[in-house]
Amino acid sequence: MKNRRIELVKRKFISDKGMWLAVAYLLFIIVIAVGIQFTDLDPNAMNLQKMLAAPDEVNIFGTDELGRDYLTRVIYGARVSLLVGVLAMITSVTIGVMVGMIAGYFGGIIDSILMRLVDVFCAVPWIIMVTVVSLLFKKGLASIVIVIGCFGWMEISRLVRTETMAAKNREYVHYAELIGVPKWKIMLLHILPAIFPTIITAATGAIANAIMVESSMSFLGIGIQAPMSSWGTLLQMAQKTLGKAPHMAILPGVLIICTICAFNKLGDLLRLFVEPRAMQEGK
Amino acid sequence: MLKYLIKRLLQAVPLLLLITILCFVLIDLAPYDAMDAKVTDKMTPAMIEQMREEAGLNDPLPVQYLRWLKNLLKGDLGQSLINKTDIATDLKEKIPNTIKLVLPSYITAFLLAIGLGLLAGRYKNTWVDKLINSLASIGLAVPTFFVALLFIYYFGLKLDLFPVMGMNSLGEDSFEDFLHHLVMPYSVLVIGFLPDLTRYVRSSTITQFDEDYVTVQKAFGSSAGTILLRHVSKNVLLPMITKLGMALPMLVTGAVITETVFAWPGIGVYFTNAIRSLDYPIVMAVLVLSGTLVILGNLISDILCAVIDPRIRVGR
């Protein structure tokens, strides 16, 4: 069974050019984002003779309002955007998996209470919730990660709950219960591995989502604050100088779109492994 | 039917209460409170303390909550800290503006999505489907504010076709002027709503085409077009009604970003301004309002579904 699934994923990976592109793009952007700190390119080097300059040979993507090289700034922005995406994903996956597994495994009243909690969290639109909660924290990378992470876990917990309910009825779980293995150990050692593929799939989606939320927050001015910059803050700056320097809006926007697309595409590939029937439906 | 209705209504009440509690606690956790905005340098600590006492901020939290809830039920949402205006009156003015923008956009996107989704589902795996599906996938990844920026640059600044800010020109009150202002935020929102809805219709169309009744109709010799229009579309539209109910809260909070970019005088701009100036009563009012609408929307869509589909009523 497992082998067939891996075979399926492999075949899809080889046949689908878009998938190749997505994976290559993600690797490329990660390498660049990590690699930039080993070069002597400085995102804060100003050149007041050359403010808001259009792209030329020296500054391939032009300069910003303080004459800083825009490409360098965008790459440094990529670090922040990707980092927030990954860390927020880890936060929401952790919360989602814990809540979902406990609800699904114990069932009954615990399940009802936790699922009502999920309902309440879902009941306020994310943009309102995230904005309000961002008031509670001092502005900074960590608080943004927490805010985004705390409001992206509900879907994951629902998914994990369903999977857990299926997994807990497997024979090996029953057997473990029978011989008296503690409940937390059963959840950790027997159920978690069984639902792991689902978690990974949800995680790629969560990264894409977190990047989107972060850029929206930063664009509204309640996310990443100067002097740090992410793609969202760069676009916020670009809005102010749109008339004079339209080139500044293009690069961060295109990168956001490509990155989210690539993570979604990767999620499709992994979903194939979790539920091979999606292959026939999606393709 | 009545029994089902009452049951659903009763379920909604505790959820609503929970939301108000959550809002209240959240705001209480915030590092500043309503009084900090009123305090000036000239006040002595004793004066501040007296003001706090008068405003009831020194009461225990549950007492404060109950007082706030009582006012809320009377329709009194309190006053803005900054402008001293009545929030309920403000909302009455802002909400229609947001509805004027969101309602036409959502309806357009909804109808377009049904058309495109059915088309893509019917011609699954052909170039039509691939085109629609990949555009929708890309669309999901495009931030609304980026589309807004591109529109402002090309149609607003470069071609100078449409105004880039506000709902009316200064001193102008005509409907044409309003429409002129509406075009860009409206198009941006349609693009924002469309991808998700289209993918939803497409996948439920595909699922429906695998159902037995389609095979039966094929066996009877019905043409694919008849099957699509007379049988599949009905089954696809049923869950879409649920989507419609769930979209209710969007009438108020669906355009926060778009409104901000285009300076549209609706609830989104009102809310983001309140956030920036830490105007808590407004933030609370919007929080409660949007939470209530979500629950109301879910309730309405459940009821609509039960009305349309008898299986749901009998099943429970």
Side-chain angles (χ1 to χ4, degrees):
Chain A
M1 186 68 180
K2 274 247 148 93
N3 284 334
R4 226 192 91 223
R5 289 184 176 195
I6 293 172
E7 205 49 48
L8 204 62
V9 172
K10 250 192 221 156
R11 211 167 346 123
K12 171 88 174 165
F13 185 72
I14 291 164
S15 68
D16 192 337
K17 284 194 200 79
M19 203 65 78
W20 269 100
L21 211 62
V23 173
Y25 167 81
L26 285 178
L27 286 176
F28 176 71
I29 201 109
I30 290 168
V31 166
I32 296 244
V34 174
I36 185 100
Q37 80 189 109
F38 302 111
T39 65
D40 54 359
L41 292 166
D42 181 3
N44 298 316
M46 292 186 259
N47 179 359
L48 297 179
Q49 258 89 56
K50 206 176 165 191
M51 286 187 283
L52 295 175
D56 57 26
E57 297 93 62
V58 187
N59 306 102
I60 328 170
F61 281 94
T63 59
D64 72 356
E65 71 283 354
L66 292 172
R68 298 173 289 198
D69 179 52
Y70 203 55
L71 182 62
T72 317
R73 289 192 65 75
V74 170
I75 296 173
Y76 270 91
R79 294 163 61 92
V80 177
S81 288
L82 291 173
L83 191 68
V84 171
V86 172
L87 292 179
M89 175 275 283
I90 293 173
T91 316
S92 50
V93 166
T94 312
I95 302 176
V97 168
M98 267 176 7
V99 172
M101 261 203 335
I102 291 172
Y105 185 69
F106 290 104
I109 182 98
I110 298 179
D111 182 33
S112 307
I113 292 175
L114 287 176
M115 284 302 114
R116 280 299 87 72
L117 189 75
V118 171
D119 287 346
V120 172
F121 268 86
C122 284
V124 183
W126 67 265
I127 185 144
I128 305 280
M129 213 50 169
V130 163
T131 326
V132 172
V133 177
S134 68
L135 283 179
L136 308 185
F137 296 99
K138 270 175 87 182
K139 299 269 154 52
L141 194 74
S143 67
I144 286 159
V145 166
I146 294 171
V147 169
I148 298 175
C150 286
F151 291 93
W153 57 272
M154 291 86 78
E155 276 310 306
I156 301 176
S157 75
R158 283 186 176 147
L159 213 64
V160 168
R161 172 175 170 267
T162 326
E163 290 286 314
T164 307
M165 289 193 323
K168 80 170 174 189
N169 285 324
R170 300 230 176 113
E171 273 146 20
Y172 59 84
V173 176
H174 283 312
Y175 181 70
E177 279 167 349
L178 211 61
I179 60 171
V181 178
K183 289 203 158 84
W184 64 269
K185 232 177 177 175
I186 294 181
M187 281 201 270
L188 222 59
L189 295 180
H190 299 294
I191 293 183
L192 192 61
I195 61 175
F196 200 68
T198 311
I199 298 175
I200 294 289
T201 312
T204 50
I207 295 186
N209 205 18
I211 291 176
M212 183 68 109
V213 175
E214 182 274 318
S215 67
S216 307
M217 281 172 74
S218 298
F219 184 76
L220 287 177
I222 51 166
I224 299 287
Q225 306 286 320
M228 227 195 288
S229 59
S230 73
W231 290 333
T233 43
L234 289 170
L235 281 174
Q236 189 199 15
M237 292 311 293
Q239 187 194 5
K240 290 177 186 148
T241 53
L242 200 57
K244 281 174 270 172
H247 65 268
M248 280 168 63
I250 301 300
L251 192 58
V254 169
L255 286 179
I256 293 176
I257 297 171
C258 291
T259 310
I260 294 176
C261 266
F263 276 117
N264 283 341
K265 195 92 182 153
L266 197 64
D268 288 346
L269 181 75
L270 296 171
R271 195 159 304 123
L272 205 61
F273 181 79
V274 183
E275 36 180 345
R277 269 201 295 165
M279 176 91 167
Q280 286 112 31
E281 203 222 305
K283 184 88 194 172
Chain B
M1 182 63 206
L2 193 66
K3 213 169 145 192
Y4 176 72
L5 239 168
I6 293 170
K7 193 181 146 199
R8 289 295 290 116
L9 272 171
L10 285 180
Q11 279 174 346
V13 174
L15 208 55
L16 263 172
L17 275 178
L18 266 178
I19 286 175
T20 58
I21 293 177
L22 185 76
C23 296
F24 198 81
V25 172
L26 270 181
I27 298 294
D28 189 70
L29 284 175
Y32 322 93
D33 67 29
M35 218 25 85
D36 289 326
K38 288 186 186 162
V39 171
T40 57
D41 292 340
K42 287 175 195 149
M43 293 179 184
T44 60
M47 279 166 77
I48 296 171
E49 194 53 32
Q50 195 196 342
M51 278 173 68
R52 293 184 66 89
E53 192 66 51
E54 274 167 21
L57 286 171
N58 289 340
D59 293 340
L61 197 61
V63 177
Q64 287 189 45
Y65 170 71
L66 285 178
R67 184 168 49 223
W68 175 70
L69 193 67
K70 220 166 85 189
N71 285 337
L72 196 70
L73 290 175
K74 278 189 282 184
D76 176 12
L77 296 170
Q79 278 192 345
S80 155
L81 294 177
I82 311 294
N83 304 321
K84 305 279 183 273
T85 47
D86 184 47
I87 296 175
T89 324
D90 281 353
L91 288 182
K92 263 179 220 139
E93 184 201 321
K94 307 284 179 189
I95 291 176
N97 289 346
T98 298
I99 292 179
K100 275 185 225 162
L101 171 62
V102 177
L103 194 63
S105 328
Y106 197 81
I107 292 176
T108 313
F110 193 79
L111 296 176
L112 268 177
I114 291 176
L116 290 173
L118 282 174
L119 196 69
R122 162 72 182 83
Y123 296 104
K124 190 176 121 187
N125 287 339
T126 62
W127 66 269
V128 183
D129 174 39
K130 277 177 189 152
L131 182 71
I132 294 176
N133 197 29
S134 32
L135 281 181
S137 301
I138 296 170
L140 276 182
V142 181
T144 330
F145 56 83
F146 184 58
V147 183
L149 285 187
L150 292 183
F151 271 49
I152 288 179
Y153 178 67
Y154 280 106
F155 302 113
L157 300 175
K158 205 165 178 199
L159 302 175
D160 202 15
L161 287 175
F162 302 103
V164 296
M165 272 176 99
M167 195 170 75
N168 292 102
S169 308
L170 215 61
E172 271 272 346
D173 216 15
S174 66
F175 186 61
E176 276 157 56
D177 184 55
F178 165 74
L179 279 186
H180 202 207
H181 280 82
L182 183 69
V183 175
M184 285 217 292
Y186 160 83
S187 327
V188 169
L189 272 183
V190 171
I191 295 175
F193 289 139
L194 197 57
D196 181 44
L197 288 170
T198 307
R199 275 169 59 116
Y200 188 80
V201 179
R202 174 181 175 268
S203 74
S204 62
T205 308
I206 290 173
T207 323
Q208 286 299 329
F209 262 107
D210 284 340
E211 293 282 323
D212 289 342
Y213 70 86
V214 174
T215 322
V216 172
Q217 286 297 330
K218 272 185 196 151
F220 282 147
S222 301
S223 71
T226 322
I227 296 177
L228 179 75
L229 292 177
R230 289 195 43 193
H231 305 285
V232 170
S233 62
K234 278 185 196 163
N235 284 299
V236 169
L237 289 182
L238 181 70
M240 283 304 278
I241 290 168
T242 329
K243 281 249 167 197
L244 213 51
M246 287 189 200
L248 184 72
M250 288 212 205
L251 286 182
V252 174
T253 52
V256 175
I257 293 173
T258 312
E259 279 182 9
T260 314
V261 182
F262 289 100
W264 187 267
I267 206 87
V269 171
Y270 185 61
F271 176 70
T272 40
N273 282 340
I275 288 278
R276 287 207 189 101
S277 53
L278 302 175
D279 203 338
Y280 288 122
I282 296 180
V283 175
M284 295 242 277
V286 175
L287 253 174
V288 173
L289 181 72
S290 57
T292 313
L293 284 177
V294 171
I295 291 177
L296 213 64
N298 285 342
L299 198 66
I300 291 174
S301 64
D302 279 2
I303 292 171
L304 276 179
C305 263
V307 170
I308 296 165
D309 191 341
R311 283 174 303 180
I312 295 171
R313 265 175 284 161
V314 181
R316 292 191 187 181

